[in-house]
Amino acid sequence: GYVPLYDAFEKFYMRYVYRRVKDCWNRPICSVPGAEVTLKERITKDYGWSFEFTGTETRCLNLGSYNYLGFAQNEGPCAREAEESIKSYGLAACSSRREIGTNPLHLELEQLTARFLGVEDAIVFGMGFATNSLNIPTLISPGCLVVSDEKNHASIILGLRLSGAVTKVFNHNSMKDLERVLRDSIATGQPKTGKPWKKILIIVEGVFSMEGSIVKLPEIVALKKKYKAYIYLDEAHSIGATGPSGRGVLDLYGVDPKDIDILMGTFTKSFGSAGGYIAGSKKLINFLRVNSHAHCYASSMSPPVTQQIITSMKIIMGLDGTKEGRNRIEQLARNTRYFRKRLAQIGVITYGHEDSPVVPMLVYLFSKIGAVVRTLTSRNIAVVGVGFPATPIMEGRIRFCLSASHTKEQLDYALAVIDEIGETLGLKYSRKPRDLNPIEY
């Protein structure tokens, strides 16, 4: 009665498909992942079964890291203050938050996060993935219904499996399908008994990490109110990176934070650090402080990691007395729109919203993922290839992640190379009419 440990197709895929292009993934770096990154070169003599280092390094333009606001730096105020925090608090508390692992930095960060998001309170965790996977089971249980977007992250899916709640999936960003699922589920009630659901939770992401699309939040809020459901919004990729003030998709759409019951996000992207948060009402956060496994049992966030977030968040909010945060947000928005419009001119197919800094370029075939990643690396451009099982097997893509630290010259160089290899590798699938007028930066 056990689920098989290995699926026959997956074994075949790992041995005979993935192994041949394995050199395009898990590539070691030996520098700060800023606008440029240093790759540690390696070779394989047995077609991907094993690798050995050559002892050489390559400096590449970095279009693969989630360094949206450019805070992944080893110099400047963030690095300096993170270093100073080690002298006061050490490297780790070696304890959970509920025991002796809470220090003043954690309390300052929680208050600052709540202020940044415009909510009553917030709680922070040392790991972004665990923020979803260990807190979702705390909030829902058997007898609850979760309506989840089909493109939600693996951490959300794991949390839902652990919770024991009934999960129903709706088509990606389709409000019509979401309403259908809500209406039908309320009409039929719980399986077997037909009893009403204890609670209904809609789970969506702000920016979807593989699609580059942005959630249609105002419409979801309207459906939430119509069907008396709750909303859990994962802003891992949108917090800091979207909206005029960097406050995520709520800021982008002008949605009242009180309309979102549970706000979740991570500090691993825009803040150049690690960990995650959940924000909302005081009642919700107090409940999590008592019941969350991530709060009770996991080791608390490291002091320099915490200080990095505090300093970068203060810069974004303008509390450092400068316009550095606003400038970074505007630079990222400018880079995003320029890069997306230029790719459309080139004739490749991209997914996602025009304001999303995650830009997936469709290459479809698995062999083309390897060809594009290797060719771009040879031209000193580091990118991430995405294939099965993260995407459908025939929807392979190259995922560009833009940063405020990129200059126009760097983007122009990358676009020129993409245009060139688009011809040789046959990547220009788009049939849309191309606007060949010069694009303003």
Side-chain angles (χ1 to χ4, degrees), residues 277-341:
Y277 67 83
I278 285 183
S281 67
K282 196 87 177 169
K283 188 177 178 183
L284 167 73
I285 302 307
N286 286 341
F287 175 82
L288 289 174
R289 286 200 172 103
V290 174
N291 295 285
S292 169
H293 285 194
H295 191 72
C296 298
Y297 302 115
S299 187
S300 66
M301 190 184 283
S302 171
V305 167
T306 313
Q307 185 61 59
Q308 162 76 21
I309 304 163
I310 291 170
T311 309
S312 56
M313 193 178 287
K314 282 181 176 177
I315 293 171
I316 293 168
M317 294 169 73
L319 298 179
D320 62 333
T322 70
K323 292 185 178 180
E324 176 69 18
R326 178 62 64 121
N327 292 341
R328 288 180 187 239
I329 293 164
E330 289 173 356
Q331 176 76 5
L332 174 64
R334 193 159 51 242
N335 285 349
T336 297
R337 292 195 187 101
Y338 177 73
F339 195 78
R340 281 185 170 276
K341 286 176 181 175

Short mmCIF file of all heavy atoms in Angstrom, two decimals, residues 277-341:
data_model
loop_
_atom_site.label_atom_id
_atom_site.label_comp_id
_atom_site.label_asym_id
_atom_site.label_seq_id
_atom_site.Cartn_x
_atom_site.Cartn_y
_atom_site.Cartn_z
N TYR A 277 8.29 35.83 6.21
CA TYR A 277 7.40 36.44 7.20
C TYR A 277 5.95 36.08 6.91
O TYR A 277 5.60 35.71 5.78
CB TYR A 277 7.55 37.98 7.19
CG TYR A 277 7.04 38.62 5.91
CD1 TYR A 277 5.68 38.91 5.72
CD2 TYR A 277 7.91 38.94 4.85
CE1 TYR A 277 5.20 39.46 4.55
CE2 TYR A 277 7.44 39.49 3.68
CZ TYR A 277 6.09 39.75 3.52
OH TYR A 277 5.62 40.30 2.36
N ILE A 278 5.12 36.18 7.92
CA ILE A 278 3.67 36.19 7.75
C ILE A 278 3.16 37.41 8.49
O ILE A 278 3.60 37.69 9.61
CB ILE A 278 3.02 34.90 8.27
CG1 ILE A 278 3.30 33.76 7.29
CG2 ILE A 278 1.51 35.08 8.45
CD1 ILE A 278 2.65 32.44 7.63
N ALA A 279 2.29 38.17 7.85
CA ALA A 279 1.79 39.42 8.43
C ALA A 279 0.27 39.46 8.33
O ALA A 279 -0.32 38.84 7.44
CB ALA A 279 2.40 40.62 7.71
N GLY A 280 -0.34 40.19 9.26
CA GLY A 280 -1.80 40.31 9.26
C GLY A 280 -2.28 40.90 10.58
O GLY A 280 -1.61 41.75 11.17
N SER A 281 -3.41 40.39 11.05
CA SER A 281 -3.98 40.92 12.28
C SER A 281 -3.19 40.44 13.49
O SER A 281 -2.49 39.42 13.44
CB SER A 281 -5.44 40.46 12.41
OG SER A 281 -5.48 39.06 12.60
N LYS A 282 -3.31 41.16 14.59
CA LYS A 282 -2.65 40.79 15.84
C LYS A 282 -3.11 39.40 16.30
O LYS A 282 -2.30 38.59 16.78
CB LYS A 282 -3.01 41.83 16.92
CG LYS A 282 -2.13 41.81 18.14
CD LYS A 282 -0.92 42.69 17.92
CE LYS A 282 -0.06 42.75 19.18
NZ LYS A 282 1.24 43.38 18.91
N LYS A 283 -4.38 39.12 16.13
CA LYS A 283 -4.94 37.84 16.54
C LYS A 283 -4.30 36.68 15.77
O LYS A 283 -3.94 35.65 16.36
CB LYS A 283 -6.46 37.86 16.31
CG LYS A 283 -7.20 36.65 16.87
CD LYS A 283 -8.70 36.81 16.64
CE LYS A 283 -9.45 35.57 17.16
NZ LYS A 283 -10.90 35.68 16.89
N LEU A 284 -4.14 36.85 14.45
CA LEU A 284 -3.51 35.83 13.61
C LEU A 284 -2.07 35.58 14.05
O LEU A 284 -1.64 34.43 14.23
CB LEU A 284 -3.54 36.26 12.14
CG LEU A 284 -2.65 35.46 11.18
CD1 LEU A 284 -3.24 34.09 10.91
CD2 LEU A 284 -2.45 36.21 9.86
N ILE A 285 -1.30 36.65 14.22
CA ILE A 285 0.13 36.52 14.53
C ILE A 285 0.32 35.91 15.92
O ILE A 285 1.21 35.07 16.12
CB ILE A 285 0.85 37.88 14.40
CG1 ILE A 285 0.66 38.46 12.98
CG2 ILE A 285 2.32 37.74 14.72
CD1 ILE A 285 1.05 37.53 11.84
N ASN A 286 -0.49 36.29 16.88
CA ASN A 286 -0.40 35.69 18.22
C ASN A 286 -0.71 34.20 18.18
O ASN A 286 -0.08 33.41 18.90
CB ASN A 286 -1.33 36.41 19.20
CG ASN A 286 -0.81 37.78 19.61
OD1 ASN A 286 0.38 38.06 19.46
ND2 ASN A 286 -1.69 38.62 20.12
N PHE A 287 -1.66 33.82 17.36
CA PHE A 287 -1.99 32.40 17.18
C PHE A 287 -0.78 31.64 16.64
O PHE A 287 -0.44 30.54 17.11
CB PHE A 287 -3.19 32.26 16.23
CG PHE A 287 -3.54 30.83 15.90
CD1 PHE A 287 -4.31 30.07 16.76
CD2 PHE A 287 -3.07 30.25 14.72
CE1 PHE A 287 -4.63 28.75 16.45
CE2 PHE A 287 -3.38 28.93 14.41
CZ PHE A 287 -4.16 28.18 15.27
N LEU A 288 -0.10 32.21 15.63
CA LEU A 288 1.08 31.56 15.04
C LEU A 288 2.24 31.49 16.04
O LEU A 288 3.00 30.52 16.05
CB LEU A 288 1.52 32.30 13.78
CG LEU A 288 0.60 32.16 12.56
CD1 LEU A 288 1.06 33.06 11.42
CD2 LEU A 288 0.55 30.71 12.09
N ARG A 289 2.38 32.53 16.87
CA ARG A 289 3.47 32.51 17.85
C ARG A 289 3.32 31.34 18.83
O ARG A 289 4.30 30.80 19.32
CB ARG A 289 3.49 33.83 18.63
CG ARG A 289 4.05 34.99 17.81
CD ARG A 289 4.52 36.15 18.66
NE ARG A 289 5.21 37.12 17.82
CZ ARG A 289 4.66 38.26 17.41
NH1 ARG A 289 3.45 38.59 17.79
NH2 ARG A 289 5.34 39.08 16.63
N VAL A 290 2.11 30.94 19.07
CA VAL A 290 1.85 29.83 19.99
C VAL A 290 1.88 28.48 19.27
O VAL A 290 2.41 27.50 19.81
CB VAL A 290 0.49 30.01 20.70
CG1 VAL A 290 0.15 28.80 21.57
CG2 VAL A 290 0.49 31.28 21.54
N ASN A 291 1.35 28.43 18.06
CA ASN A 291 1.09 27.13 17.41
C ASN A 291 2.02 26.77 16.25
O ASN A 291 2.06 25.60 15.86
CB ASN A 291 -0.36 27.10 16.90
CG ASN A 291 -1.37 27.17 18.03
OD1 ASN A 291 -1.58 26.19 18.73
ND2 ASN A 291 -1.97 28.33 18.23
N SER A 292 2.72 27.74 15.66
CA SER A 292 3.52 27.45 14.46
C SER A 292 4.73 26.59 14.78
O SER A 292 5.54 26.93 15.65
CB SER A 292 3.98 28.76 13.82
OG SER A 292 4.95 28.50 12.83
N HIS A 293 4.88 25.48 14.06
CA HIS A 293 6.06 24.62 14.24
C HIS A 293 7.34 25.35 13.82
O HIS A 293 8.40 25.10 14.40
CB HIS A 293 5.90 23.34 13.42
CG HIS A 293 4.94 22.37 14.03
ND1 HIS A 293 4.82 21.06 13.64
CD2 HIS A 293 4.04 22.53 15.03
CE1 HIS A 293 3.90 20.45 14.36
NE2 HIS A 293 3.40 21.32 15.21
N ALA A 294 7.25 26.22 12.84
CA ALA A 294 8.42 26.97 12.39
C ALA A 294 8.91 27.94 13.46
O ALA A 294 10.09 28.28 13.52
CB ALA A 294 8.10 27.73 11.11
N HIS A 295 7.99 28.38 14.33
CA HIS A 295 8.35 29.30 15.41
C HIS A 295 8.81 28.54 16.66
O HIS A 295 9.74 28.96 17.35
CB HIS A 295 7.14 30.18 15.76
CG HIS A 295 7.45 31.34 16.66
ND1 HIS A 295 8.16 32.44 16.24
CD2 HIS A 295 7.15 31.56 17.97
CE1 HIS A 295 8.28 33.30 17.25
NE2 HIS A 295 7.67 32.79 18.31
N CYS A 296 8.15 27.41 16.91
CA CYS A 296 8.41 26.67 18.16
C CYS A 296 9.65 25.78 18.09
O CYS A 296 10.33 25.60 19.09
CB CYS A 296 7.21 25.79 18.50
SG CYS A 296 5.70 26.72 18.81
N TYR A 297 9.91 25.20 16.90
CA TYR A 297 10.94 24.16 16.84
C TYR A 297 12.15 24.51 15.96
O TYR A 297 13.24 23.98 16.18
CB TYR A 297 10.32 22.85 16.33
CG TYR A 297 9.17 22.37 17.19
CD1 TYR A 297 7.88 22.31 16.70
CD2 TYR A 297 9.39 22.01 18.51
CE1 TYR A 297 6.82 21.90 17.49
CE2 TYR A 297 8.34 21.59 19.32
CZ TYR A 297 7.06 21.54 18.80
OH TYR A 297 6.01 21.13 19.60
N ALA A 298 11.97 25.37 14.97
CA ALA A 298 13.09 25.68 14.07
C ALA A 298 14.06 26.67 14.73
O ALA A 298 13.66 27.50 15.55
CB ALA A 298 12.55 26.27 12.77
N SER A 299 15.31 26.58 14.36
CA SER A 299 16.32 27.50 14.88
C SER A 299 16.00 28.92 14.41
O SER A 299 15.55 29.13 13.28
CB SER A 299 17.70 27.08 14.38
OG SER A 299 18.70 27.86 14.99
N SER A 300 16.22 29.90 15.28
CA SER A 300 15.83 31.28 14.96
C SER A 300 16.76 31.88 13.90
O SER A 300 17.87 31.40 13.67
CB SER A 300 15.84 32.14 16.21
OG SER A 300 17.15 32.28 16.72
N MET A 301 16.29 32.95 13.29
CA MET A 301 17.04 33.63 12.23
C MET A 301 18.37 34.17 12.76
O MET A 301 18.44 34.75 13.84
CB MET A 301 16.17 34.77 11.68
CG MET A 301 16.71 35.42 10.43
SD MET A 301 15.69 36.82 9.92
CE MET A 301 14.30 36.01 9.18
N SER A 302 19.42 33.97 11.98
CA SER A 302 20.77 34.42 12.37
C SER A 302 20.83 35.95 12.47
O SER A 302 20.25 36.65 11.63
CB SER A 302 21.77 33.91 11.33
OG SER A 302 23.03 34.46 11.52
N PRO A 303 21.52 36.51 13.48
CA PRO A 303 21.57 37.97 13.65
C PRO A 303 22.05 38.75 12.41
O PRO A 303 21.41 39.73 12.04
CB PRO A 303 22.52 38.16 14.84
CG PRO A 303 22.33 36.92 15.64
CD PRO A 303 22.12 35.82 14.64
N PRO A 304 23.17 38.35 11.73
CA PRO A 304 23.55 39.13 10.54
C PRO A 304 22.53 39.06 9.41
O PRO A 304 22.34 40.03 8.67
CB PRO A 304 24.89 38.49 10.11
CG PRO A 304 24.97 37.19 10.80
CD PRO A 304 24.17 37.32 12.05
N VAL A 305 21.84 37.92 9.31
CA VAL A 305 20.77 37.77 8.31
C VAL A 305 19.63 38.74 8.64
O VAL A 305 19.09 39.43 7.77
CB VAL A 305 20.26 36.31 8.29
CG1 VAL A 305 18.96 36.19 7.51
CG2 VAL A 305 21.32 35.40 7.69
N THR A 306 19.28 38.82 9.93
CA THR A 306 18.22 39.71 10.38
C THR A 306 18.58 41.17 10.14
O THR A 306 17.77 41.96 9.65
CB THR A 306 17.95 39.49 11.89
OG1 THR A 306 17.85 38.10 12.16
CG2 THR A 306 16.67 40.18 12.33
N GLN A 307 19.83 41.52 10.46
CA GLN A 307 20.28 42.90 10.29
C GLN A 307 20.31 43.32 8.83
O GLN A 307 19.97 44.45 8.48
CB GLN A 307 21.67 43.09 10.91
CG GLN A 307 22.17 44.53 10.90
CD GLN A 307 21.28 45.47 11.69
OE1 GLN A 307 21.06 45.28 12.88
NE2 GLN A 307 20.73 46.48 11.02
N GLN A 308 20.68 42.39 7.94
CA GLN A 308 20.68 42.66 6.49
C GLN A 308 19.27 43.07 6.04
O GLN A 308 19.09 44.01 5.26
CB GLN A 308 21.15 41.42 5.73
CG GLN A 308 20.80 41.38 4.24
CD GLN A 308 21.66 42.29 3.39
OE1 GLN A 308 22.76 42.67 3.79
NE2 GLN A 308 21.18 42.62 2.20
N ILE A 309 18.25 42.35 6.55
CA ILE A 309 16.87 42.65 6.16
C ILE A 309 16.44 44.01 6.72
O ILE A 309 15.84 44.82 6.00
CB ILE A 309 15.90 41.56 6.68
CG1 ILE A 309 16.32 40.18 6.19
CG2 ILE A 309 14.48 41.85 6.22
CD1 ILE A 309 15.69 39.03 6.97
N ILE A 310 16.77 44.27 7.98
CA ILE A 310 16.38 45.54 8.61
C ILE A 310 16.96 46.72 7.84
O ILE A 310 16.25 47.67 7.51
CB ILE A 310 16.84 45.57 10.09
CG1 ILE A 310 16.04 44.57 10.92
CG2 ILE A 310 16.70 46.98 10.67
CD1 ILE A 310 16.58 44.36 12.33
N THR A 311 18.26 46.63 7.52
CA THR A 311 18.93 47.75 6.83
C THR A 311 18.36 47.95 5.43
O THR A 311 18.04 49.07 5.03
CB THR A 311 20.45 47.51 6.75
OG1 THR A 311 20.94 47.18 8.05
CG2 THR A 311 21.17 48.74 6.23
N SER A 312 18.19 46.85 4.67
CA SER A 312 17.67 46.97 3.30
C SER A 312 16.22 47.46 3.31
O SER A 312 15.83 48.27 2.46
CB SER A 312 17.79 45.64 2.55
OG SER A 312 17.14 44.60 3.24
N MET A 313 15.41 47.00 4.29
CA MET A 313 14.02 47.45 4.36
C MET A 313 13.93 48.94 4.70
O MET A 313 13.09 49.66 4.15
CB MET A 313 13.25 46.62 5.40
CG MET A 313 11.74 46.80 5.33
SD MET A 313 10.83 45.79 6.50
CE MET A 313 11.00 44.17 5.79
N LYS A 314 14.81 49.40 5.59
CA LYS A 314 14.83 50.83 5.93
C LYS A 314 15.21 51.67 4.72
O LYS A 314 14.67 52.77 4.51
CB LYS A 314 15.80 51.08 7.08
CG LYS A 314 15.25 50.69 8.45
CD LYS A 314 16.25 50.97 9.57
CE LYS A 314 15.65 50.66 10.93
NZ LYS A 314 16.63 50.86 12.03
N ILE A 315 16.13 51.16 3.89
CA ILE A 315 16.52 51.88 2.67
C ILE A 315 15.33 51.94 1.71
O ILE A 315 15.03 52.99 1.13
CB ILE A 315 17.74 51.20 2.01
CG1 ILE A 315 18.99 51.37 2.89
CG2 ILE A 315 17.99 51.78 0.61
CD1 ILE A 315 20.19 50.56 2.44
N ILE A 316 14.61 50.82 1.55
CA ILE A 316 13.44 50.78 0.66
C ILE A 316 12.37 51.76 1.15
O ILE A 316 11.74 52.47 0.35
CB ILE A 316 12.86 49.35 0.60
CG1 ILE A 316 13.84 48.40 -0.10
CG2 ILE A 316 11.52 49.34 -0.15
CD1 ILE A 316 13.49 46.92 0.04
N MET A 317 12.19 51.84 2.47
CA MET A 317 11.16 52.72 3.05
C MET A 317 11.60 54.18 3.11
O MET A 317 10.79 55.06 3.41
CB MET A 317 10.81 52.24 4.46
CG MET A 317 10.14 50.88 4.50
SD MET A 317 10.02 50.20 6.19
CE MET A 317 8.72 51.22 6.87
N GLY A 318 12.89 54.43 2.85
CA GLY A 318 13.40 55.80 2.92
C GLY A 318 13.72 56.26 4.32
O GLY A 318 13.93 57.45 4.56
N LEU A 319 13.79 55.33 5.28
CA LEU A 319 14.06 55.68 6.67
C LEU A 319 15.55 56.00 6.91
O LEU A 319 15.91 56.43 8.00
CB LEU A 319 13.62 54.55 7.61
CG LEU A 319 12.13 54.20 7.60
CD1 LEU A 319 11.84 53.06 8.56
CD2 LEU A 319 11.29 55.43 7.96
N ASP A 320 16.38 55.73 5.89
CA ASP A 320 17.81 56.06 6.02
C ASP A 320 18.07 57.52 5.66
O ASP A 320 19.22 57.98 5.72
CB ASP A 320 18.65 55.14 5.13
CG ASP A 320 18.31 55.30 3.65
OD1 ASP A 320 17.17 55.69 3.33
OD2 ASP A 320 19.19 55.04 2.80
N GLY A 321 17.01 58.25 5.28
CA GLY A 321 17.16 59.66 4.95
C GLY A 321 17.62 59.94 3.53
O GLY A 321 17.92 61.08 3.18
N THR A 322 17.65 58.89 2.67
CA THR A 322 18.06 59.07 1.28
C THR A 322 16.94 58.59 0.34
O THR A 322 15.94 58.03 0.78
CB THR A 322 19.35 58.28 0.96
OG1 THR A 322 19.02 56.86 0.96
CG2 THR A 322 20.44 58.55 1.99
N LYS A 323 17.14 58.81 -0.96
CA LYS A 323 16.20 58.32 -1.98
C LYS A 323 16.72 57.06 -2.66
O LYS A 323 16.25 56.68 -3.73
CB LYS A 323 15.96 59.42 -3.02
CG LYS A 323 15.20 60.62 -2.47
CD LYS A 323 14.88 61.61 -3.58
CE LYS A 323 14.06 62.79 -3.03
NZ LYS A 323 13.76 63.77 -4.10
N GLU A 324 17.71 56.42 -2.02
CA GLU A 324 18.33 55.23 -2.60
C GLU A 324 17.31 54.13 -2.87
O GLU A 324 17.31 53.50 -3.93
CB GLU A 324 19.42 54.71 -1.64
CG GLU A 324 20.10 53.42 -2.06
CD GLU A 324 20.97 53.56 -3.28
OE1 GLU A 324 21.35 54.69 -3.64
OE2 GLU A 324 21.28 52.52 -3.91
N GLY A 325 16.41 53.89 -1.91
CA GLY A 325 15.39 52.84 -2.08
C GLY A 325 14.47 53.14 -3.24
O GLY A 325 14.21 52.27 -4.08
N ARG A 326 13.96 54.36 -3.31
CA ARG A 326 13.06 54.77 -4.40
C ARG A 326 13.76 54.64 -5.75
O ARG A 326 13.18 54.16 -6.73
CB ARG A 326 12.59 56.20 -4.15
CG ARG A 326 11.68 56.79 -5.24
CD ARG A 326 10.40 56.01 -5.34
NE ARG A 326 9.61 56.09 -4.14
CZ ARG A 326 8.39 56.56 -4.10
NH1 ARG A 326 7.81 56.98 -5.20
NH2 ARG A 326 7.72 56.56 -2.97
N ASN A 327 15.04 55.04 -5.79
CA ASN A 327 15.82 54.95 -7.04
C ASN A 327 15.96 53.50 -7.51
O ASN A 327 15.86 53.21 -8.70
CB ASN A 327 17.20 55.57 -6.86
CG ASN A 327 17.14 57.08 -6.66
OD1 ASN A 327 16.12 57.71 -7.00
ND2 ASN A 327 18.18 57.67 -6.12
N ARG A 328 16.20 52.59 -6.56
CA ARG A 328 16.34 51.17 -6.92
C ARG A 328 15.03 50.61 -7.46
O ARG A 328 15.02 49.85 -8.43
CB ARG A 328 16.80 50.36 -5.70
CG ARG A 328 18.26 50.61 -5.31
CD ARG A 328 18.63 49.76 -4.09
NE ARG A 328 19.96 50.09 -3.60
CZ ARG A 328 20.97 49.24 -3.50
NH1 ARG A 328 20.81 47.99 -3.87
NH2 ARG A 328 22.14 49.61 -3.02
N ILE A 329 13.92 50.95 -6.83
CA ILE A 329 12.60 50.48 -7.27
C ILE A 329 12.30 50.98 -8.69
O ILE A 329 11.84 50.22 -9.55
CB ILE A 329 11.50 50.93 -6.28
CG1 ILE A 329 11.67 50.22 -4.94
CG2 ILE A 329 10.11 50.66 -6.85
CD1 ILE A 329 10.91 50.86 -3.79
N GLU A 330 12.59 52.26 -8.93
CA GLU A 330 12.34 52.84 -10.26
C GLU A 330 13.28 52.25 -11.32
O GLU A 330 12.87 52.01 -12.45
CB GLU A 330 12.51 54.36 -10.19
CG GLU A 330 11.39 55.05 -9.41
CD GLU A 330 11.62 56.53 -9.19
OE1 GLU A 330 12.71 57.03 -9.60
OE2 GLU A 330 10.74 57.19 -8.60
N GLN A 331 14.54 51.99 -10.93
CA GLN A 331 15.50 51.40 -11.86
C GLN A 331 15.07 49.99 -12.26
O GLN A 331 15.15 49.61 -13.43
CB GLN A 331 16.89 51.35 -11.20
CG GLN A 331 17.98 50.66 -12.02
CD GLN A 331 18.49 51.51 -13.16
OE1 GLN A 331 18.09 52.67 -13.31
NE2 GLN A 331 19.35 50.94 -13.98
N LEU A 332 14.58 49.20 -11.29
CA LEU A 332 14.11 47.86 -11.59
C LEU A 332 12.91 47.90 -12.54
O LEU A 332 12.86 47.14 -13.51
CB LEU A 332 13.72 47.12 -10.30
CG LEU A 332 13.08 45.74 -10.49
CD1 LEU A 332 14.07 44.78 -11.14
CD2 LEU A 332 12.60 45.18 -9.15
N ALA A 333 11.96 48.81 -12.28
CA ALA A 333 10.78 48.94 -13.15
C ALA A 333 11.19 49.33 -14.56
O ALA A 333 10.66 48.80 -15.55
CB ALA A 333 9.82 49.97 -12.56
N ARG A 334 12.16 50.24 -14.66
CA ARG A 334 12.65 50.69 -15.97
C ARG A 334 13.35 49.54 -16.72
O ARG A 334 13.11 49.31 -17.90
CB ARG A 334 13.61 51.87 -15.77
CG ARG A 334 13.96 52.64 -17.01
CD ARG A 334 14.47 54.04 -16.73
NE ARG A 334 15.54 54.05 -15.75
CZ ARG A 334 15.46 54.66 -14.57
NH1 ARG A 334 14.36 55.30 -14.23
NH2 ARG A 334 16.48 54.65 -13.73
N ASN A 335 14.21 48.81 -16.01
CA ASN A 335 14.91 47.67 -16.61
C ASN A 335 13.92 46.60 -17.09
O ASN A 335 14.07 46.03 -18.17
CB ASN A 335 15.87 47.04 -15.61
CG ASN A 335 17.13 47.86 -15.39
OD1 ASN A 335 17.40 48.81 -16.13
ND2 ASN A 335 17.91 47.52 -14.39
N THR A 336 12.89 46.35 -16.27
CA THR A 336 11.90 45.30 -16.58
C THR A 336 11.15 45.63 -17.87
O THR A 336 11.05 44.80 -18.78
CB THR A 336 10.91 45.16 -15.41
OG1 THR A 336 11.62 44.73 -14.25
CG2 THR A 336 9.83 44.15 -15.72
N ARG A 337 10.62 46.84 -17.95
CA ARG A 337 9.82 47.21 -19.13
C ARG A 337 10.68 47.26 -20.39
O ARG A 337 10.26 46.80 -21.46
CB ARG A 337 9.14 48.57 -18.90
CG ARG A 337 8.06 48.50 -17.81
CD ARG A 337 7.15 49.71 -17.82
NE ARG A 337 6.25 49.67 -16.67
CZ ARG A 337 6.44 50.38 -15.57
NH1 ARG A 337 7.47 51.19 -15.47
NH2 ARG A 337 5.58 50.30 -14.57
N TYR A 338 11.88 47.81 -20.24
CA TYR A 338 12.78 47.91 -21.40
C TYR A 338 13.14 46.52 -21.92
O TYR A 338 13.06 46.25 -23.12
CB TYR A 338 14.04 48.67 -20.99
CG TYR A 338 15.08 48.79 -22.09
CD1 TYR A 338 14.88 49.64 -23.18
CD2 TYR A 338 16.26 48.06 -22.03
CE1 TYR A 338 15.83 49.76 -24.18
CE2 TYR A 338 17.22 48.17 -23.02
CZ TYR A 338 17.00 49.01 -24.10
OH TYR A 338 17.95 49.12 -25.10
N PHE A 339 13.53 45.61 -21.02
CA PHE A 339 13.97 44.27 -21.41
C PHE A 339 12.84 43.50 -22.07
O PHE A 339 13.02 42.84 -23.10
CB PHE A 339 14.49 43.54 -20.17
CG PHE A 339 15.29 42.30 -20.48
CD1 PHE A 339 16.61 42.40 -20.89
CD2 PHE A 339 14.73 41.04 -20.34
CE1 PHE A 339 17.36 41.26 -21.16
CE2 PHE A 339 15.47 39.90 -20.60
CZ PHE A 339 16.79 40.00 -21.02
N ARG A 340 11.64 43.59 -21.49
CA ARG A 340 10.49 42.87 -22.05
C ARG A 340 10.12 43.39 -23.45
O ARG A 340 9.83 42.61 -24.36
CB ARG A 340 9.29 42.97 -21.11
CG ARG A 340 9.35 42.02 -19.92
CD ARG A 340 8.08 42.09 -19.09
NE ARG A 340 8.03 41.02 -18.10
CZ ARG A 340 7.60 39.79 -18.31
NH1 ARG A 340 7.18 39.46 -19.52
NH2 ARG A 340 7.58 38.88 -17.36
N LYS A 341 10.13 44.72 -23.61
CA LYS A 341 9.78 45.29 -24.91
C LYS A 341 10.82 44.94 -25.98
O LYS A 341 10.47 44.67 -27.13
CB LYS A 341 9.64 46.81 -24.79
CG LYS A 341 8.36 47.24 -24.08
CD LYS A 341 8.30 48.74 -23.88
CE LYS A 341 7.02 49.16 -23.15
NZ LYS A 341 7.00 50.61 -22.85
#
